[in-house]
Amino acid sequence: MNWWSRLFRRRQLEDELEKELRFHLDEHRDDLIGRGGTPEQARRQARIALGGAEQVKEKCRDARGTRWLEDLLQDTRYALRAFRQRPGFTAITLLILALGIGATTVMFTVVNSVLLRPLSFPEPEKLVTLHGFTSDFGEFWGFSNPDLTDLRRDSRSLAIAAWTYGGGTISSPGEPEYVDGRQISAELFDTLGIVPQKGRAFQANEDRAGAAPVAVISDSLWRRRFAGDASAIGSTFVFDGKPYRVIGIAPADFQLSGEGDVYTPLGQNTEPRMQNRQAHFIHAVARLNPGVALSAAQAELALISRRLAEQYPKSNEGLRMLAHPLQQELVGDVGTTLWLLLSAVGLVLLIACVNIASLFLTRALSRERELAMRVALGARRSRLVRQCITESAVLGVCGGLLGIVLAELGIRRFVAFWPGTLPRASEIYLDWRVMVFAVGISLLSGSFFGLAPALRVPAHRLEQVLRSGGRAFAGGQRRLHRAFVISELALALVLLVSAGMLGHTMVMLSSLDPGLNVHNLLTARFALSPGALANPARLQAAWQDVLDRARRVPGVEFAALTDIIPMRVGENSIGYSTTSAPPRPNQVSIALASSVTPDYVNVMGIPLRQGRFFTDDDGKQSERVVVVDENLAQHAFGDKDAVGKFLWIPAMGANPVRIVGVVGHVRHWGLAGDDHSRVRDQLYSPFAQVPAPLMRFLSSVMSIAVRTKNAPLNSLEALRLELRGASGDQALYDVHTMEQLVSASVARQRFLLSLFGLFAGLALLLACTGIYGVLSYITGQRVPEIGVRMALGASVGEIMRLVLWQSFKMISLGLAIGSIGALGAGRVLQRLVEGMQPIGPAPFVVMIPLLLGAALLASYLPARRASRIDPVKALRQE
Amino acid sequence: MQKTDLPQGTLDLLILKVVAVEPVHGYAIAQRLDQVSRGVVQVPEGSLYPALHRLENRGLLTADWKQTESGREAKFYSLTRKGRKQFEADSANWARLIQAVGLILGMADGGTR
């Protein structure tokens, strides 16, 4: 019989044991009677010979080898009974634990899904993204098509695929709709290791200019426009003015830096920039060939980029190519936020555990007599320790299970609460690793708060414990209790100061001037009619029509076109210099450039400092002009007047351009990020002077901005209708008010602040209840002493002071230790959070008194109770 | 005659010996040990049953419920194959030990004579 069947047939085994022993006694008795004893004597003698029947049974049970499990079950039952007896205590501890473990599990689930779990492609560790690097521009994602073609031809270590953003209007069948798209090279699906869910991917002969237009569409577009019907494959739809045949449907969760709806072959793109070695607009993703290490691929890339630089010095001088693991690229800078939150929530859990540990300790002390009694009756110490730990572990596991349920319920909500989109959001779920983690931390926290009481199981001087009821030995526990209170306060202060720093930062950021008037300002990307796009000569006129239509909409004050919108929506960095001599590498000045229409400053509310802004007279035929911001003016010309000076801008041709005005600086990189961004100079050029070859591309990224007289969203519908244009196939998309954009630029800081604030509040609450509990207990232990003091003439005030002083000492020590921790945490925050204010005294000045006050308030009640002690009763209690 | 306590660990061997002869119940084992040792060996009845159960759990003994001559139902123990091997190994060990101890004691006697 193996041990588990012995365990499950326990009842039967018990019966058999009873029967066996009874048989023994009966036989012995009969024998003795047979030898002439009286039945009474015989029975007695047989019993004596066997020894105590119960002891024999106990030893037989030990022999079964299932003892530890039976003990565990017994202890668990005992624990559950004890919990039932104290439903309030149990409910509160369970609630604290479930919340703590639940919150930690949610954070860990996100960390696990986003950062730890490998990407869901086959052999994801072999996937890399390629980046370009120059010392002037730093690292950037884009490649030029000729460079990439050469790289693909020459590389032996990488299978390289390419893609770039696309998008356009689907005009038939059905209502016109602007959709995002991607232009991809034929090998992209293969390189990633995925296949379309239906149909096929592109073939090499479709990925070249002049081939018949074909498209792979997204799962969501398939369901939206084709009702998920398999007959969609082979059907035709009009996209960007051209009929495309659907050949495949991408897997449901497929994304390339966000969702695209239409995938078209990159090779069919005939724009001039496809041949331009300086147009870096193509993303490259690659798979390491079998047996090739990342470092070998890096070395090969370095070699090829050097060769290209020699061959094409004009475009490739100083350009290096780098490879990074794909996962790193996809996840981006979310990692720091996630680790920060996991640490913060871990601190809250730690405080919760310390809190419960002190509650348990308090309880264990009141049970000390019981434990001493059981030791005196022969219980082994290890057995009692085991019992104590079982009791808390049961609580821990129950709390953990509740926590997992809470996490499962809360995880989606949390992901939705995340500012912007969380990368890999669709992959976030609770898996076995999360379960192991949650059960692990519940057991760990369970044993943690069970350990302290368990070590209190008396080993020596039993009779003293029994006689005194534990009161005489209060010194040791008081030290432990004090340690609990001190660590709770220290941890709480770390969280409070962190939250304080974030709060301070938010206040500072909100008070910054974004450099424009954020009110009554609406921005949107704009998809021009495919018919207009097909006719490059008419593009300027088509855009002029858009502006004229926008101005006609009631409530619109000004309207302007721009290729980038402040607050990080788009970027276009170009080099400039103040002399005609080509600048040395490393010394190129970089500015953020945008092409705008004359009303741009009126729409945005950017102040004009000097000179003028553009007018309708700045056209193709007139002199090429630019307007710069005050940063560029200061940077390039110091205190001298910038208006009338010339800039040499390679991206705008060989001839210099004249500066006609200086405007205020706009915090383009967000309220938080702008001060630390690489590119802080800004430069505007007239949209009307954009060279014709660039117009087709620029037209696909243009946005419209309007200043309204009233709330901007009120004018949106009228604007949408009016801008559909004569052919009814133009669309607004990505519509935002400037207020939304400014707010989104500090969303990460606000998100961190709200969560840290929540955690800090919880920590404060837990720390205060902890102090209250511990102090009530310690004061309770001191009742006889206080009674004596009062009998000897101590006043109520003196007793209050005595208790509060004791508490004050603990609190100050906790705050001192916590301040050191908070300084460290502040340093970490400052490094990881953009726009963070340096650690100043402010959060300490606010948070230390707050915590001190709250802690003293929590101490006040026990102190008052101590001062109300009736000395006569107190002494009689002794 | 003075009764002697059993040396540590020998109870198992004695039980195996008794059971090796024929299937037998606990009370009979106690009787047998008492008789055979002519009352010299004090068989602690209180440790007999835990020892039986331990041997059963280790797979050296197996047990069946059978009627005795007196008409009562009793748990009869018998030796398993594994138990027999163990018994043979243990009794051989024991014999060697006795011989060695005897030799050593004899040598000491010879020295004083």
Side-chain angles (χ1 to χ4, degrees):
Chain A
M1 218 187 296
N2 44 26
W3 65 263
W4 53 266
S5 63
R6 288 204 286 279
L7 182 71
F8 287 108
R9 293 179 45 211
R10 220 175 126 242
R11 175 61 53 79
Q12 186 193 346
L13 288 174
E14 281 294 308
D15 288 347
E16 288 183 3
L17 180 60
E18 171 72 30
K19 208 162 131 189
E20 188 176 18
L21 291 182
R22 195 170 343 106
F23 169 78
H24 180 101
L25 289 173
D26 289 351
E27 287 285 303
H28 199 178
R29 185 196 60 201
D30 291 355
D31 276 358
L32 291 172
I33 292 172
R35 281 182 225 150
T38 66
E40 199 50 45
Q41 273 176 333
R43 192 177 300 129
R44 191 163 169 274
Q45 219 172 328
R47 285 234 174 100
I48 290 169
L50 185 65
E54 275 311 311
Q55 279 95 317
V56 174
K57 277 189 194 167
E58 268 300 290
K59 282 185 193 156
C60 289
R61 284 175 200 137
D62 282 345
R64 275 182 217 150
T66 55
R67 211 13 169 331
W68 60 275
L69 241 172
E70 281 169 37
D71 284 352
L72 187 67
L73 291 178
Q74 194 191 0
D75 288 350
T76 309
R77 273 198 301 273
Y78 185 86
L80 292 177
R81 202 158 56 221
F83 295 152
R84 268 204 301 278
Q85 279 163 5
R86 307 170 50 125
F89 171 86
T90 312
I92 287 172
T93 33
L94 269 183
L95 186 71
I96 294 176
L97 261 181
L99 285 176
I101 292 174
T104 315
T105 306
V106 165
M107 282 318 305
F108 182 77
T109 307
V110 179
V111 165
N112 176 47
S113 311
V114 176
L115 304 180
L116 305 181
R117 204 190 295 138
L119 299 175
S120 54
F121 300 114
E123 294 191 273
E125 69 286 351
K126 296 202 155 175
L127 288 173
V128 295
T129 52
L130 306 186
H131 283 190
F133 177 89
T134 65
S135 47
D136 290 324
F137 286 84
E139 202 166 327
F140 50 88
W141 53 260
F143 282 82
S144 72
N145 190 44
D147 277 354
L148 206 57
T149 309
D150 291 345
L151 184 60
R152 252 170 174 164
R153 188 190 57 218
D154 294 346
S155 173
R156 297 284 163 272
S157 58
L158 293 165
I160 302 167
W163 66 271
T164 188
Y165 289 101
T169 308
I170 299 181
S171 42
S172 122
E175 283 284 290
E177 174 192 15
Y178 179 88
V179 295
D180 271 329
R182 305 283 183 270
Q183 303 176 10
I184 61 175
S185 67
E187 51 285 86
L188 185 93
F189 278 56
D190 257 2
T191 304
L192 292 176
I194 55 175
V195 287
Q197 55 166 312
K198 288 207 161 44
R200 58 175 178 87
F202 302 127
Q203 285 161 355
N205 61 8
E206 289 164 331
D207 189 18
R208 63 169 68 120
V214 285
V216 171
I217 60 173
S218 73
D219 183 73
S220 89
L221 185 73
W222 180 49
R223 292 180 192 286
R224 203 162 68 229
R225 287 193 89 104
F226 296 93
D229 191 339
S231 70
I233 295 195
S235 69
T236 303
F237 68 104
V238 178
F239 173 66
D240 224 10
K242 264 193 288 183
Y244 278 83
R245 191 162 54 87
V246 179
I247 60 160
I249 291 149
D253 51 355
F254 181 64
Q255 293 198 348
L256 264 180
S257 291
E259 285 171 71
D261 274 331
V262 176
Y263 301 89
T264 54
L266 177 63
Q268 294 191 7
N269 186 333
T270 52
E271 289 172 89
R273 60 180 180 146
M274 287 291 280
Q275 309 309 326
N276 181 354
R277 225 171 250 284
Q278 281 168 316
H280 296 137
F281 68 99
I282 297 183
H283 292 256
V285 51
R287 184 177 282 277
L288 293 168
N289 282 331
V292 177
L294 181 59
S295 56
Q298 300 269 28
E300 192 193 53
L301 284 174
L303 201 72
I304 295 175
S305 19
R306 222 169 17 246
R307 210 161 55 216
L308 286 175
E310 282 164 18
Q311 213 172 339
Y312 308 101
K314 193 168 152 275
S315 56
N316 287 44
E317 179 82 62
L319 174 66
R320 276 160 49 203
M321 299 173 184
L322 310 169
H324 297 300
L326 181 63
Q327 179 150 13
Q328 194 180 314
E329 158 114 350
L330 283 190
V331 166
D333 62 349
V334 168
T336 52
T337 308
L338 287 178
W339 287 118
L340 271 180
L341 288 176
L342 185 61
S343 328
V345 85
L347 280 185
V348 176
L349 180 65
L350 200 59
I351 297 176
C353 283
V354 173
N355 203 336
I356 298 174
S358 62
L359 286 175
F360 257 70
L361 186 56
T362 308
R363 225 191 110 205
L365 291 170
S366 57
R367 275 173 58 187
E368 195 156 53
R369 258 178 113 116
E370 175 208 327
L371 292 177
M373 179 65 82
R374 292 173 58 177
V375 172
L377 289 176
R380 276 196 308 271
R381 188 158 181 264
S382 62
R383 179 77 190 74
L384 292 181
V385 168
R386 217 161 61 197
Q387 190 197 325
C388 287
I389 292 183
T390 307
E391 201 170 313
S392 58
V394 167
L395 198 63
V397 168
C398 291
L401 290 179
L402 279 178
I404 291 175
V405 172
L406 284 183
E408 177 68 48
L409 292 177
I411 184 79
R412 284 289 131 208
R413 258 158 260 238
F414 177 77
V415 172
F417 184 49
W418 191 273
T421 34
L422 192 57
R424 308 181 69 190
S426 62
E427 297 173 50
I428 293 173
Y429 53 85
L430 274 70
D431 62 3
W432 62 269
R433 275 199 259 194
V434 174
M435 292 298 165
V436 169
F437 173 83
V439 171
I441 56 168
S442 356
L443 279 177
L444 204 69
S445 34
S447 333
F448 172 75
F449 55 70
L451 205 61
L455 294 179
R456 296 296 316 152
V457 171
H460 314 292
R461 299 188 294 183
L462 276 182
E463 81 291 353
Q464 281 164 342
V465 177
L466 284 174
R467 225 182 298 146
S468 68
R471 214 175 299 131
F473 298 106
Q477 302 101 35
R478 277 201 215 144
R479 254 199 306 283
L480 202 50
H481 266 130
R482 236 175 258 147
F484 281 157
V485 168
I486 290 166
S487 46
E488 270 185 289
L489 278 166
L491 292 170
L493 186 67
V494 171
L495 280 171
L496 278 169
V497 169
S498 304
M501 281 179 67
L502 283 162
H504 185 209
T505 301
M506 267 319 282
V507 171
M508 293 295 290
L509 289 177
S510 311
S511 67
L512 287 177
D513 176 14
L516 44 78
N517 181 358
V518 302
H519 305 293
N520 292 352
L521 179 50
L522 189 77
T523 67
R525 296 282 300 273
F526 191 74
L528 207 57
S529 156
L533 280 171
N535 186 355
R538 295 256 323 127
L539 274 174
Q540 284 285 0
W543 282 113
Q544 190 56 48
D545 176 58
V546 170
L547 272 188
D548 292 343
R549 281 172 181 277
R551 287 197 187 108
R552 281 208 295 270
V553 173
V556 169
E557 212 170 345
F558 297 106
L561 301 172
T562 174
D563 55 348
I564 62 177
I565 297 172
M567 301 296 149
R568 264 180 214 244
V569 187
E571 66 166 292
N572 178 29
S573 303
I574 60 172
Y576 71 86
S577 64
T578 51
T579 61
S580 58
R584 278 168 300 174
N586 288 333
Q587 297 195 344
V588 181
S589 301
I590 312 281
L592 180 78
S594 47
S595 302
V596 300
T597 53
D599 266 338
Y600 186 73
V601 277
N602 296 328
V603 170
M604 293 291 168
I606 302 170
L608 184 67
R609 302 282 188 231
Q610 273 175 313
R612 64 174 178 91
F613 205 71
F614 309 129
T615 65
D616 287 333
D617 296 335
D618 296 312
K620 280 271 184 319
Q621 314 308 326
S622 53
E623 186 191 20
R624 297 206 62 184
V625 291
V626 292
V627 168
V628 300
D629 79 332
E630 52 206 358
N631 275 11
L632 192 149
Q634 171 69 29
H635 185 179
F637 305 104
D639 294 332
K640 278 180 243 144
D641 198 351
V643 175
K645 298 273 190 332
F646 286 89
L647 291 178
W648 279 260
I649 301 171
M652 293 187 181
N655 295 327
V657 292
R658 195 158 63 90
I659 298 171
V660 294
V662 177
V663 293
H665 176 73
V666 174
R667 290 185 167 265
H668 178 80
W669 305 106
L671 291 179
D674 199 72
D675 289 338
H676 310 284
S677 65
R678 271 179 74 86
V679 180
R680 303 206 60 235
D681 294 351
Q682 292 165 352
L683 182 151
Y684 302 90
S685 59
F687 180 66
Q689 292 187 347
V690 170
L694 269 178
M695 271 308 285
R696 172 65 179 80
F697 165 66
L698 206 59
S699 293
S700 66
V701 298
M702 289 306 282
S703 296
I704 184 164
V706 296
R707 172 154 299 279
T708 54
K709 297 193 182 81
N710 304 307
L713 290 175
N714 289 348
S715 308
L716 180 59
E717 267 325 297
L719 201 61
R720 222 188 258 285
L721 274 176
E722 181 65 36
L723 292 189
R724 281 197 172 178
S727 48
D729 55 0
Q730 306 190 119
L732 284 175
Y733 61 103
D734 286 353
V735 180
H736 298 285
T737 66
M738 188 49 68
E739 280 163 341
Q740 288 168 340
L741 291 175
V742 169
S743 156
S745 80
V746 289
R748 177 163 179 251
Q749 287 79 357
R750 190 180 317 108
F751 176 68
L752 278 175
L753 171 63
S754 53
L755 284 183
F756 266 78
L758 180 71
F759 297 156
L762 275 178
L764 183 67
L765 192 69
L766 283 171
C768 287
T769 49
I771 292 176
Y772 172 76
V774 166
L775 216 62
S776 300
Y777 172 72
I778 294 182
T779 323
Q781 294 278 301
R782 288 176 74 180
V783 162
E785 175 206 326
I786 292 170
V788 171
R789 282 174 190 268
M790 291 185 102
L792 291 178
S795 69
V796 168
E798 278 166 339
I799 298 297
M800 291 271 288
R801 265 200 298 282
L802 179 78
V803 175
L804 285 178
W805 176 242
Q806 185 182 22
S807 150
F808 182 74
K809 277 189 295 189
M810 293 193 288
I811 297 169
S812 331
L813 190 55
L815 292 180
I817 296 171
S819 301
I820 298 169
L823 278 176
R827 194 75 35 99
V828 172
L829 276 176
Q830 206 180 324
R831 224 179 34 166
L832 298 183
V833 181
E834 200 176 45
M836 199 71 192
Q837 293 297 308
I839 321 166
F844 290 90
V845 169
V846 178
M847 293 304 172
I848 291 185
L850 175 70
L851 193 52
L852 183 67
L856 280 178
L857 199 67
S859 323
Y860 175 73
L861 282 179
R864 209 172 75 123
R865 213 176 305 133
S867 69
R868 300 275 163 91
I869 286 171
D870 181 351
V872 179
K873 272 191 201 153
L875 289 173
R876 203 174 285 150
Q877 189 183 327
E878 181 77 331
Chain B
M1 190 185 291
Q2 200 191 340
K3 292 195 174 181
T4 313
D5 281 341
L6 272 178
Q8 199 78 38
T10 47
L11 180 60
D12 287 3
L13 182 58
L14 298 185
I15 291 173
L16 290 177
K17 171 69 190 168
V18 174
V19 176
V21 181
E22 56 175 344
V24 62
H25 55 70
Y27 179 67
I29 297 174
Q31 297 286 100
R32 207 69 52 84
L33 288 177
D34 204 38
Q35 286 161 11
V36 174
S37 73
R38 299 186 196 92
V40 174
V41 174
Q42 165 84 49
V43 181
E45 287 180 10
S47 25
L48 178 66
Y49 285 95
L52 279 170
H53 286 225
R54 198 169 51 245
L55 291 171
E56 188 188 351
N57 287 335
R58 281 170 58 199
L60 302 180
L61 296 183
T62 167
D64 282 311
W65 288 87
K66 281 192 239 165
Q67 291 260 318
T68 62
E69 293 139 22
S70 59
R72 293 196 180 99
E73 256 207 316
K75 195 177 176 187
F76 279 78
Y77 294 90
S78 51
L79 223 51
T80 62
R81 185 197 289 271
K82 190 175 161 196
R84 188 163 299 280
K85 269 197 201 132
Q86 179 82 32
F87 168 63
E88 279 157 11
D90 282 1
S91 51
N93 269 344
W94 180 253
R96 269 211 306 283
L97 182 67
I98 297 288
Q99 206 180 1
V101 171
L103 276 175
I104 293 164
L105 293 177
M107 181 191 75
D109 272 2
T112 49
R113 240 172 236 165

